[in-house]
Amino acid sequence: MPLSGLKFGKKKLKEEERHLQANNRDFNLEFEYANNSIKTSKYNFFTFLPLNLFEQFQRIANAYFLFLLILQLIPQVSSLSWFTTVVPLVLVLTVSGVKDAIDDFNRHKSDNHVNNRPVQVLINGRLKDDKWMHIQVGDIIKLENNNFVTADLLLLSSSEPHSLTYIETAELDGETNLKVKQALTVTAELGENLQKLTDFNGEVKCEAPNNKLDKFTGTLTLHGEKFALDNEKMLLRGCTIRNTEWCFGLVIYAGPDTKLMQNCGKTTFKRTSIDRLMNVLVLVHTEKVDFSYNQLADPKFVFYDHSLVEAVKLDDAATHGFFRLLSLCHTVMPEEKKAGNLVYQAQSPDEGALVTAARNFGFVFRARTPETITVVEMGETKVYELLAILDFNNVRKRMSVIVRSPEGDLTLYCKGADTIVYELLDASCESLKDETMEHLNEFAGEGLRTLVVAYKNLQEDYFEEWHKRHHEASTALDGREEKLSELYEEIEKDLMLLGATAIEDKLQDGVPQTIETLAKAHIKIWVLTGDKQETAVNIGYSCNMLHDDMKDVFIIEGNTSEAVLDELRTARKKMNPDSFLDSDEINLKFENPSMKSRILPEEQANGVYGLVINGHSLAYALEGNLELELVRTACMCKVVICCRVTPLQKAQVVELVKKYKKAVTLAIGDGANDVSMIKTAHIGVGISGQEGMQAVLSSDFSFAQFRYLQRLLLVHGRWSYIRMCKFLRYFFYKNFAFTLVHFWYGFFSGFSAQTVYDQWFITLYNLVYTSLPVLGMSLFDQDVDDRWSMRFPHLYEPGQQNLYFNKIEFVKCVLHGIYSSLILFFIPYGAMYDAVRSDGKAIADYQSFALMAQTCLLIVVSVQIGLDTAYWTAVNQFFIWGSLSVYFAIIFTMYSDGMYLIFTASFPFIGTARNTLSQPNVWLAIFLSIILCVLPVVGGRFLKAQLMPTVSDKVLGKIRAAKKRPPPPLPKTRLRRTSTRRSGYAFSHQHGFGALIMSGRNMRPKLPFTTTGTFSPNSEKNRHK
Amino acid sequence: MPGWRHRPLPGRGGAGSRAGGALQRSAGTMAAASPCAEPAARNKPDNTAFTQQRLPAWQPLLSAGTALPLFFCVGLACLALGLGLHFSSDTIRELELDYTGAPGSGHNCSRCANASLAGAGGCTCSLRFELPERFPGPVCLYYQLSNYYQNHRRYGVSRDDRQLSGDASGLSNPATECSPFRTDPQGIPIAPCGAIANSLFNDTFALYHLANGTFYPVPLDNRGISWWTDSNIKFSNPELVNGSLEAAFKGTTKPPNWPHAAYMLDMGNTNNTGFINEDFIVWMRTAALPTFRKLYRRVREGNFSSGLPQGTYRLDITYNYPVLSFQGTKKVIFSTVSWMGGKNPFLGIVYLVFGSACILTGFVMLAVHIRFQKQNQMDVE
């Protein structure tokens, strides 16, 4: 490999292939690969000022003011002094600058924290503690249980048998189950032998850094032999090591090159609003079942049904059988690192839950070997001989185990989907079947996932013969699958019903209610998840997004571009056949590419539909020619669920919606895999409380539970929108009223750009006199309180339709401003024309006129903000009255003798306040301006609410009527789900661990507390009985 | 993405389970496993009324109960104020005399107007007029100019307040705003500098009352015609040099349009000459509008302290100030004053009109309210 070719001056060529050698820093340094330090911050101490100012002046408003300032420095052009612009501009720049600085400081802190995490790295034959940021490509590092993976590693060896390593990838891709990675045999031999590891000098050639989480190709060359590398041997940064004591890995990608960072998207500073609000947590206390009788119970498990405990304690045979089944029939792996601290390793959360339930009721699954299962039944240790696992698959929708009890009984335990298992039941349990069916219906009605469990006692000789055939089938070379399933079907019949289980996806509190409320507020919900399709659909059903009333739920899972297009089109044809007509608006639009706007209008479907799309199909659908099709189809559906999507795809989907829809997007998520999406959406929300805080750190808002989203949007979002709109309307109004007076004055001052007001007033008007009242309104205003906002989601709609601030509202503000400015000019004009004071001295001078006009203006805009303020807190009162008082205090101070004597040139208005404001006709004119400006607004609003009430007006009227009664409590009724969906999903939805367990490949030969292999003499005895 | 899901930690029985043997009728209580600990409380905001947006507040509502009384009360108040203003304004006596002397008007002052156009000053003309009724004192004498943009921006800034406040450095080095009336062509600073001072109104008036066939002079008081703050604080003469104001002005020159220097504005009265000359101060308080009147003198002495009696008068005018060049007019106005100042019918009329409109609107709103109240309530139900 021509090394010199890669080094090309200072600038690095685009990397096309990565080449590295283990334990050879000198070699690897040649390539100038990034090391493992990451940088998400934007500035450093020296670049902050220039960069930040440059960024701020990219905003049009700031640039405009800068331009204005330059103009004002030319005396021939400007009618105002430079300080009228400089003071506000500097203030705005400082406030934004400080905020940016604090943001960036926090990023620095978080970067530092991550970069300084400790890790053990192998250097010169010794393990050395080092910081993450010093790790280089080609280093060999050691990770221990529960460690975060430092960089993208090639797994070399681990403490587990066959160098298996368990990792949790939730932070990376959002999938909740554990994944197993396995090292190459040739590297697994290295074990933890430091000498061998130091001598390891394999060379890796692999693809350049990219963002594909599920793909990796490369080769390892060791002693001249080549080994293929794939994703199964990679530990990616962002994952966590679980259930693995230690493992060694070779750094392939570090720092910014890691797949995690490549998926992070760009950091853009979004400025939405300032307030990060959170609600108070409400804890509901219910009495929990006391499991203290069982020492091995999992203390984190909470159960509320006391009757079941009584049954267990009473030694009820059927109940014992039920829990025995749950403790035996599964593929869970136990782990007991410390005595009594039992941790289950489940492939799916459902399985783990069932085994944990059995454990807490006194049937503790303790250990397993390929041949045995050790269970502590009500305190008594029993070792069952495991004879066969009839594993789960999607067709069978059931799994069984065949065990021999210590007493020698042969039993088949089966659990599976109710519809399937019911077919296999023995005729003798007819009555039980009906009763159980009743329960199943009830469970399903509550949206629980049900399973039916059953058993069968086997005859020794029949089983012997079956077992032989089973062995033959499982070693058959062709048709093994079919032969096995035939055998399974043969033995899984005439089962005796034991009972049913029901599992609820423990959603956070109030998730279905929140989703329903948000739907009422016409918010469209798309689920983007890394989970498997079945899990995602399950969640969709359990949180009431998908339901049986939907006309159809389309599933897009095509594996080619054409298939995906076809599926999307079929779906759209069903929903809205008209959308394929040539005359369709959108079709026309895209035939004519010259049209600028890509924004698609709403399309209506002929019913309620759902759409589920798979990650790999989504990859095709997001490609250029299909994305339009995807948007059109997806937007017609009420609910869209994208499953198995990568972090980047999440962001792409958000980007897609932003591109084609005139909609505001909000992304909410809790994992590192949601970061890019959170950054991309208009509003990013992080859910805190998970281990990693990446989502929270990159979010605009964060809170602990999903249900707070409803409060965020319907209460705070709505308030914020109303406040923002009121602020904008008022802001435009007060500035139009202020500015246009100058226009009218132009007609009477020879168009000489004479200002109506004192320069100081112009400087202070927006900055001091009128800033706090509108700030107070923007902070506290609420038309209805939180209860009512949540009660009437309809109140959210005006915001979506942008009713409170749009072009029409803007024009209204302008017209209102013009009207006020006319009043504010011509009333002082009329009052001043030829006017004299009561002592005969003239007051029609420029300074008196200026004072009168500015006093009119200030009082009018203050009354106007009072009129706009619906919620007068003490702060509002203080701000409004305070601003007016400050105004009078300032003018009397600035126009005082003292100020004139000290700063003669700056305060030429000396005496104006005293001489003018002592005149009754000045006050009469001020009063007249106020009522002329304000009363028409009052009358207009009153008449509008009477003659053309809007939806919000009506709701407000309703609330007003109801307010006379005490406010209602929030509805707390539990949402009844109407779903009749059933079971079949409780397993891991993929082929189980059965084969792995039976082969014993994942069993550890020797560990202090595990019972595998050599457990207690007691069990040995039982076995040979 | 579903962040709303509890993410089960491995092996802890993440999903809630509800296991029921078929023989045991499991009671309806819900099973719930909650593996996730409550989020750390450190991020929890203070539960105060302020942070939780629950501050107690007064929530005024715009309803018929508030809007209608508001309109009726304001309407009545406006009518009352309007009537008061109107009658006060009506009691004021005012007499305007135009002495512009526009060419072709046949006016007595036309001759002088032409002369002033030619640049000659010192022309005098007289006006005879009748007062139809007695003007109760104190009677004010104003001059009024029209089409005169004292409020022009460039004109308005053309002064040096520092100089006018008697500051020595202001005398020797006037502010740049005064340009082009800052220095004369020789570079000698002008005092008072600037366009406003240079354009000082310099017509003078003398009033005579005809009694028993003879015109007797009416004493005109020129004291206290400017704001107290102006003549006492804002305007001061430079410090006297050896007791001489003239010496204090040494090294400066007069504004080009002035016949003589500032210290000669009122030769006989040291308290009214230089920068503190009240006619000068009145002129320097620039007007807001292009038509303006400025107080010239007050009649409050001698036989006339109680007012100007009905009868015939003669006004002698020294016509110096040219206005025809910019199509301006000049007037002399005699006016009495009341608590609300001079004659200004505007406020009274607007108050009357608006008060009536308010009451009318109030009735319309009442009608609308009665008509639609029921309907709107029905909608809500």
Side-chain angles (χ1 to χ4, degrees), chain A residues 834-836 840-845, chain B residues 94-100 127 139-148 150 155 196-197 199-206 220-222 225-226 277-287 289-298 315-323 326 329-335:
Chain A
D834 286 352
V836 296
K841 297 177 189 178
I843 51 163
D845 63 287
Chain B
E94 198 178 87
L95 180 78
E96 289 187 9
L97 300 170
D98 190 319
Y99 73 98
T100 318
L127 289 177
V139 177
C140 300
L141 178 57
Y142 300 92
Y143 60 89
Q144 175 172 316
L145 299 174
S146 70
N147 205 26
Y148 194 112
Q150 258 205 320
Y155 178 87
I196 310 178
S199 59
L200 175 69
F201 182 78
N202 57 355
D203 284 2
T204 58
F205 308 98
L220 297 177
D221 184 6
N222 68 351
I225 55 172
S226 64
N277 177 274
E278 290 211 48
D279 285 323
F280 173 66
I281 293 173
V282 165
W283 180 254
M284 291 303 285
R285 183 155 280 281
T286 55
L289 301 168
T291 299
F292 59 89
R293 54 176 68 168
K294 286 179 185 285
L295 185 58
Y296 182 70
R297 295 290 183 265
R298 272 186 287 208
L315 185 70
D316 285 359
I317 302 159
T318 317
Y319 196 117
N320 296 317
Y321 207 73
V323 293
F326 54 89
T329 62
K330 297 200 282 194
K331 280 179 185 172
V332 169
I333 293 148
F334 297 91
S335 174

Side-chain angles (χ1 to χ4, degrees), chain A residues 142-375:
Chain A
K142 181 184 181 184
L143 296 174
E144 288 172 353
N145 201 11
N146 298 331
N147 276 3
F148 289 109
V149 176
T150 313
D152 288 358
L153 307 176
L154 171 69
L155 178 62
L156 294 177
S157 63
S158 90
S159 58
E160 306 302 293
H162 302 271
S163 66
L164 293 179
T165 300
Y166 298 91
I167 53 166
E168 189 185 286
T169 60
E171 284 292 290
L172 190 63
D173 60 12
E175 280 195 53
T176 46
N177 57 327
L178 287 196
K179 293 200 179 72
V180 188
K181 302 276 175 173
Q182 190 175 15
L184 283 172
T185 328
V186 60
T187 60
E189 287 163 2
L190 301 170
E192 54 181 334
N193 185 327
L194 292 186
Q195 192 50 49
K196 276 188 183 171
L197 282 165
T198 312
D199 294 341
F200 177 71
N201 63 352
E203 279 186 44
V204 173
K205 276 186 188 172
C206 62
E207 59 196 11
N210 59 56
N211 54 31
K212 294 181 182 116
L213 287 179
D214 51 354
K215 214 178 130 258
F216 175 79
T217 46
T219 53
L220 171 72
T221 316
L222 189 63
H223 310 309
E225 220 179 316
K226 278 194 174 182
F227 302 91
L229 300 178
D230 60 20
N231 201 37
E232 288 310 301
K233 299 160 185 66
M234 292 294 288
L235 304 177
L236 300 184
R237 183 173 179 147
C239 303
T240 314
I241 305 287
R242 298 282 185 207
N243 303 82
T244 309
E245 207 170 324
W246 52 260
C247 65
F248 282 90
L250 169 67
V251 178
I252 305 285
Y253 304 118
D257 292 340
T258 57
K259 305 217 174 211
L260 175 73
M261 296 307 287
Q262 297 269 320
N263 260 303
C264 262
K266 246 181 138 175
T267 303
T268 49
F269 283 126
K270 282 182 284 184
R271 267 172 239 277
T272 40
S273 70
I274 40 169
D275 41 353
R276 282 174 187 243
L277 297 160
M278 235 167 82
N279 297 305
V280 189
L281 261 163
V282 182
L283 294 169
V284 183
H285 291 284
T286 323
E287 209 193 332
K288 296 170 186 168
V289 170
D290 180 15
F291 284 117
S292 59
Y293 67 89
N294 177 6
Q295 301 229 319
L296 283 167
D298 185 343
K300 293 181 198 78
F301 185 86
V302 186
F303 202 84
Y304 294 102
D305 188 349
H306 290 268
S307 62
L308 218 45
V309 181
E310 299 308 314
V312 173
K313 283 183 176 165
L314 286 175
D315 238 4
D316 182 279
T319 312
H320 278 198
F322 177 80
F323 284 114
R324 188 172 296 127
L325 183 147
L326 292 185
S327 66
L328 290 171
C329 179
H330 54 78
T331 55
V332 171
M333 296 295 296
E335 201 174 353
E336 199 172 3
K337 290 251 158 92
K338 280 181 282 174
N341 184 6
L342 196 57
V343 177
Y344 289 144
Q345 191 45 252
Q347 215 183 354
S348 83
D350 289 15
E351 264 211 326
L354 292 176
V355 180
T356 310
R359 164 183 172 180
N360 277 38
F361 280 101
F363 287 76
V364 185
F365 167 58
R366 193 89 192 252
R368 74 154 78 237
T369 68
E371 296 92 29
T372 63
I373 296 174
T374 309
V375 177

